[in-house]
Amino acid sequence: MSLDRQNLPSFQSLRRIVLGVLTLFILSKLIFSLIGTLDRPQIQGKFELYQTNLVLVASEWHPTEDAAGLGVLQTAIVGKDLLESATEQYEDARASDVSAIEKLNLSLADMTATTTDPQSQAAAKLQTNLVDRTIAAAQTEIVKIDLRLGILQAVNNQPEQAIKTWQKVVKTSSSTSKNVAASLIEIWQQPSAITKNTSPQIAAEIAANFDGWFRDRVLEQLYTDVDDKQSLTQLSLAEQVKSKNALIQLALITIPRVLIALAGVGLIIFYTVRFIIRLLQQRSERSVTDLLFADIKTPWITPWDWEIVWQVFVLGFFFVGQFLLPVVFGAVVNPATLTARGQGIYVFSSYVLMSGLAIGVLYASIKSYLPLSSDWFRFNWKSNWLLWGIGGYLVATPIVIVVSLINDKIWQGQGGSNPLLQIVLEGKDSIALLLFFVTAAIAAPLFEEFLFRGFLLPSLTRYVPTWAAIGISGLVFGVAHLSLSEILPLTTLGIILGVVYARTRNLLASMLLHSLWNSSTLVSLFILGGGN
């Protein structure tokens, strides 16, 4: 159906009514979605725990003479007081989960108290079930944390505190976790009760419930209790191989990140000094703001008005992407029941379909204005887009790191995260991981840069200066990811993407920056997940 309204005098009024209704609906859904992330933990907390686990494994490596350089790296990465810092990480994670459960219980009580009519009760029941599952998952996570906290305390010469931690698990948790906690108490408190005949059964139980450093420390204590020197030797040899591999994995995560951040800081200093020099040279001729925005000052020639922008985003992006497709896909399949590979196929196919439909709405909305001037939706392979894409990525890294540190202080581990990151962190299926990578590192940069930088940013310059259009489009970009804790860092990233695009008038530059950003995040998650 064509959106050409020349032969339909009443079309504009009807369109405004429909878009107005959809806008109210989308706004309410966006608000509820964002509020819903308040009680959800950030992926950053789990990311830090995974990294802590990997550091614990790496700390057990004993450098040989021919690997002295790797030993220096181990000292730099592991640092001092590792057990204390690891214990603090796990205590913080536990406190975050406890806080989330308290907030979820309050929202559950409010839901029950305010629901009266049958229709609302049906919707509330679905929401209640979701909240109940979230609470159950958080409670399970707390039990896992307590078991590991006890091991950290025991290894750190705090056996009495460890016994208390495990006894709490025995009193409050399910049979499996209760049995594991009881075995841990026996290993550290009653070693004489364990024999060489019973130790294999306990070892199998420990291996089934722990991995990495935690498993090895418990097994080490168990084999020491029963004086099983052969098993201790085998454990030590295997641990040395795993520890060296863990150290290499940490180096692959840490060293590039540090070098990229340092290069970014260097570029920021260079451009700051260059700006100050230009300011001193031209201070009598041009103002500070003129110099600051000189390279991005020229607006685009936008032939359509704000209603076209409204139509594309309300109908093409938010309604289709955040409501219609989830409802249609949800009627066919429940993503939570899929295997890892099934989730990979689901994420990739739904994203590509959403992108195609949104681009279709965009094309139908602006086709009567075609052809456009040459700086619209521009792909120029012969320009310096590679330098701008890579340089933008280098500059974005230290800036977003600083903003994220401030953001963490604000949200204290809450506010939710992109669920894809959690799936990638825990994923084992290589086909699924490849599909997630293609979605995040290729499909997302292509579509989101085309829509947010290629269409929204230039359209806004009809009404506001280019610098304001960069800020507004960056904010919309941050909000569109539907996670309160990610709005500030993603808005910052969106602004940098906007500056790169406004400066180059080339979508290839911002797409490259976006792809590098998503790729580096996913590669870090792949390495961390594999290391754990």
mmCIF file of all heavy atoms in Angstrom, residues 162-182:
data_model
loop_
_atom_site.group_PDB
_atom_site.id
_atom_site.type_symbol
_atom_site.label_atom_id
_atom_site.label_comp_id
_atom_site.label_asym_id
_atom_site.label_seq_id
_atom_site.Cartn_x
_atom_site.Cartn_y
_atom_site.Cartn_z
ATOM 1 N N ALA A 162 33.603 -19.995 56.843
ATOM 2 C CA ALA A 162 33.170 -20.830 55.722
ATOM 3 C C ALA A 162 32.099 -21.823 56.155
ATOM 4 O O ALA A 162 31.096 -22.026 55.461
ATOM 5 C CB ALA A 162 34.370 -21.564 55.128
ATOM 6 N N ILE A 163 32.320 -22.463 57.324
ATOM 7 C CA ILE A 163 31.338 -23.438 57.838
ATOM 8 C C ILE A 163 29.984 -22.762 58.063
ATOM 9 O O ILE A 163 28.932 -23.305 57.707
ATOM 10 C CB ILE A 163 31.833 -24.070 59.152
ATOM 11 C CG1 ILE A 163 33.163 -24.795 58.944
ATOM 12 C CG2 ILE A 163 30.785 -25.019 59.719
ATOM 13 C CD1 ILE A 163 33.143 -25.903 57.947
ATOM 14 N N LYS A 164 29.999 -21.538 58.610
ATOM 15 C CA LYS A 164 28.745 -20.802 58.826
ATOM 16 C C LYS A 164 28.038 -20.507 57.501
ATOM 17 O O LYS A 164 26.807 -20.608 57.402
ATOM 18 C CB LYS A 164 29.033 -19.486 59.570
ATOM 19 C CG LYS A 164 29.427 -19.667 61.022
ATOM 20 C CD LYS A 164 29.717 -18.311 61.672
ATOM 21 C CE LYS A 164 30.164 -18.491 63.120
ATOM 22 N NZ LYS A 164 30.497 -17.171 63.753
ATOM 23 N N THR A 165 28.815 -20.135 56.503
ATOM 24 C CA THR A 165 28.242 -19.842 55.183
ATOM 25 C C THR A 165 27.576 -21.086 54.598
ATOM 26 O O THR A 165 26.460 -21.020 54.077
ATOM 27 C CB THR A 165 29.333 -19.323 54.232
ATOM 28 O OG1 THR A 165 29.938 -18.160 54.791
ATOM 29 C CG2 THR A 165 28.745 -18.985 52.867
ATOM 30 N N TRP A 166 28.256 -22.236 54.680
ATOM 31 C CA TRP A 166 27.691 -23.474 54.130
ATOM 32 C C TRP A 166 26.507 -23.970 54.954
ATOM 33 O O TRP A 166 25.558 -24.528 54.404
ATOM 34 C CB TRP A 166 28.779 -24.545 54.063
ATOM 35 C CG TRP A 166 29.850 -24.229 53.055
ATOM 36 C CD1 TRP A 166 29.683 -23.596 51.857
ATOM 37 C CD2 TRP A 166 31.248 -24.499 53.173
ATOM 38 N NE1 TRP A 166 30.897 -23.466 51.207
ATOM 39 C CE2 TRP A 166 31.870 -24.012 51.978
ATOM 40 C CE3 TRP A 166 32.054 -25.109 54.143
ATOM 41 C CZ2 TRP A 166 33.240 -24.124 51.756
ATOM 42 C CZ3 TRP A 166 33.414 -25.228 53.921
ATOM 43 C CH2 TRP A 166 34.000 -24.727 52.736
ATOM 44 N N GLN A 167 26.558 -23.778 56.280
ATOM 45 C CA GLN A 167 25.434 -24.197 57.124
ATOM 46 C C GLN A 167 24.163 -23.428 56.763
ATOM 47 O O GLN A 167 23.053 -23.975 56.826
ATOM 48 C CB GLN A 167 25.781 -23.997 58.604
ATOM 49 C CG GLN A 167 26.744 -25.048 59.142
ATOM 50 C CD GLN A 167 27.200 -24.762 60.556
ATOM 51 O OE1 GLN A 167 27.140 -23.609 61.031
ATOM 52 N NE2 GLN A 167 27.693 -25.784 61.248
ATOM 53 N N LYS A 168 24.344 -22.176 56.379
ATOM 54 C CA LYS A 168 23.194 -21.368 55.934
ATOM 55 C C LYS A 168 22.575 -21.983 54.680
ATOM 56 O O LYS A 168 21.347 -22.012 54.536
ATOM 57 C CB LYS A 168 23.666 -19.941 55.673
ATOM 58 C CG LYS A 168 22.567 -18.963 55.318
ATOM 59 C CD LYS A 168 23.069 -17.525 55.397
ATOM 60 C CE LYS A 168 24.336 -17.320 54.592
ATOM 61 N NZ LYS A 168 24.829 -15.928 54.636
ATOM 62 N N VAL A 169 23.404 -22.507 53.785
ATOM 63 C CA VAL A 169 22.908 -23.162 52.569
ATOM 64 C C VAL A 169 22.173 -24.449 52.934
ATOM 65 O O VAL A 169 21.110 -24.747 52.377
ATOM 66 C CB VAL A 169 24.074 -23.464 51.602
ATOM 67 C CG1 VAL A 169 23.576 -24.256 50.392
ATOM 68 C CG2 VAL A 169 24.732 -22.173 51.143
ATOM 69 N N VAL A 170 22.712 -25.197 53.879
ATOM 70 C CA VAL A 170 22.068 -26.450 54.311
ATOM 71 C C VAL A 170 20.666 -26.183 54.847
ATOM 72 O O VAL A 170 19.721 -26.944 54.582
ATOM 73 C CB VAL A 170 22.936 -27.153 55.391
ATOM 74 C CG1 VAL A 170 22.177 -28.324 56.015
ATOM 75 C CG2 VAL A 170 24.246 -27.625 54.789
ATOM 76 N N LYS A 171 20.490 -25.086 55.567
ATOM 77 C CA LYS A 171 19.204 -24.773 56.195
ATOM 78 C C LYS A 171 18.171 -24.234 55.210
ATOM 79 O O LYS A 171 16.970 -24.408 55.409
ATOM 80 C CB LYS A 171 19.405 -23.742 57.310
ATOM 81 C CG LYS A 171 20.173 -24.274 58.505
ATOM 82 C CD LYS A 171 20.408 -23.167 59.526
ATOM 83 C CE LYS A 171 21.236 -23.674 60.697
ATOM 84 N NZ LYS A 171 21.532 -22.564 61.679
ATOM 85 N N THR A 172 18.631 -23.569 54.142
ATOM 86 C CA THR A 172 17.673 -22.813 53.317
ATOM 87 C C THR A 172 17.498 -23.300 51.890
ATOM 88 O O THR A 172 16.568 -22.856 51.209
ATOM 89 C CB THR A 172 18.101 -21.330 53.250
ATOM 90 O OG1 THR A 172 19.409 -21.249 52.678
ATOM 91 C CG2 THR A 172 18.117 -20.715 54.644
ATOM 92 N N SER A 173 18.346 -24.199 51.400
ATOM 93 C CA SER A 173 18.315 -24.500 49.969
ATOM 94 C C SER A 173 17.755 -25.883 49.675
ATOM 95 O O SER A 173 17.384 -26.639 50.574
ATOM 96 C CB SER A 173 19.715 -24.367 49.381
ATOM 97 O OG SER A 173 20.564 -25.328 49.963
ATOM 98 N N SER A 174 17.718 -26.205 48.381
ATOM 99 C CA SER A 174 17.184 -27.476 47.902
ATOM 100 C C SER A 174 18.120 -28.630 48.237
ATOM 101 O O SER A 174 19.246 -28.422 48.687
ATOM 102 C CB SER A 174 16.970 -27.412 46.390
ATOM 103 O OG SER A 174 18.216 -27.247 45.743
ATOM 104 N N SER A 175 17.663 -29.858 47.947
ATOM 105 C CA SER A 175 18.414 -31.049 48.340
ATOM 106 C C SER A 175 19.794 -31.108 47.697
ATOM 107 O O SER A 175 20.778 -31.452 48.356
ATOM 108 C CB SER A 175 17.613 -32.304 47.992
ATOM 109 O OG SER A 175 17.308 -32.312 46.598
ATOM 110 N N THR A 176 19.900 -30.769 46.382
ATOM 111 C CA THR A 176 21.191 -30.866 45.694
ATOM 112 C C THR A 176 22.214 -29.925 46.320
ATOM 113 O O THR A 176 23.322 -30.345 46.689
ATOM 114 C CB THR A 176 21.036 -30.532 44.200
ATOM 115 O OG1 THR A 176 20.092 -31.425 43.613
ATOM 116 C CG2 THR A 176 22.361 -30.665 43.478
ATOM 117 N N SER A 177 21.852 -28.658 46.445
ATOM 118 C CA SER A 177 22.759 -27.675 47.044
ATOM 119 C C SER A 177 23.030 -27.998 48.501
ATOM 120 O O SER A 177 24.145 -27.786 49.003
ATOM 121 C CB SER A 177 22.173 -26.272 46.918
ATOM 122 O OG SER A 177 21.983 -25.928 45.571
ATOM 123 N N LYS A 178 22.013 -28.518 49.201
ATOM 124 C CA LYS A 178 22.176 -28.901 50.603
ATOM 125 C C LYS A 178 23.216 -30.006 50.736
ATOM 126 O O LYS A 178 24.077 -29.965 51.630
ATOM 127 C CB LYS A 178 20.828 -29.372 51.147
ATOM 128 C CG LYS A 178 20.800 -29.638 52.647
ATOM 129 C CD LYS A 178 19.437 -30.135 53.094
ATOM 130 C CE LYS A 178 18.377 -29.069 52.890
ATOM 131 N NZ LYS A 178 17.063 -29.485 53.420
ATOM 132 N N ASN A 179 23.152 -30.996 49.846
ATOM 133 C CA ASN A 179 24.119 -32.096 49.885
ATOM 134 C C ASN A 179 25.528 -31.603 49.580
ATOM 135 O O ASN A 179 26.505 -32.047 50.193
ATOM 136 C CB ASN A 179 23.727 -33.178 48.875
ATOM 137 C CG ASN A 179 22.439 -33.884 49.264
ATOM 138 O OD1 ASN A 179 22.059 -33.892 50.437
ATOM 139 N ND2 ASN A 179 21.770 -34.476 48.290
ATOM 140 N N VAL A 180 25.647 -30.700 48.615
ATOM 141 C CA VAL A 180 26.963 -30.154 48.272
ATOM 142 C C VAL A 180 27.547 -29.392 49.460
ATOM 143 O O VAL A 180 28.721 -29.555 49.804
ATOM 144 C CB VAL A 180 26.870 -29.228 47.034
ATOM 145 C CG1 VAL A 180 28.203 -28.544 46.774
ATOM 146 C CG2 VAL A 180 26.436 -30.009 45.802
ATOM 147 N N ALA A 181 26.710 -28.548 50.090
ATOM 148 C CA ALA A 181 27.167 -27.784 51.253
ATOM 149 C C ALA A 181 27.581 -28.718 52.387
ATOM 150 O O ALA A 181 28.603 -28.479 53.071
ATOM 151 C CB ALA A 181 26.065 -26.838 51.715
ATOM 152 N N ALA A 182 26.824 -29.790 52.589
ATOM 153 C CA ALA A 182 27.160 -30.755 53.639
ATOM 154 C C ALA A 182 28.496 -31.431 53.350
ATOM 155 O O ALA A 182 29.303 -31.664 54.270
ATOM 156 C CB ALA A 182 26.047 -31.800 53.752
#
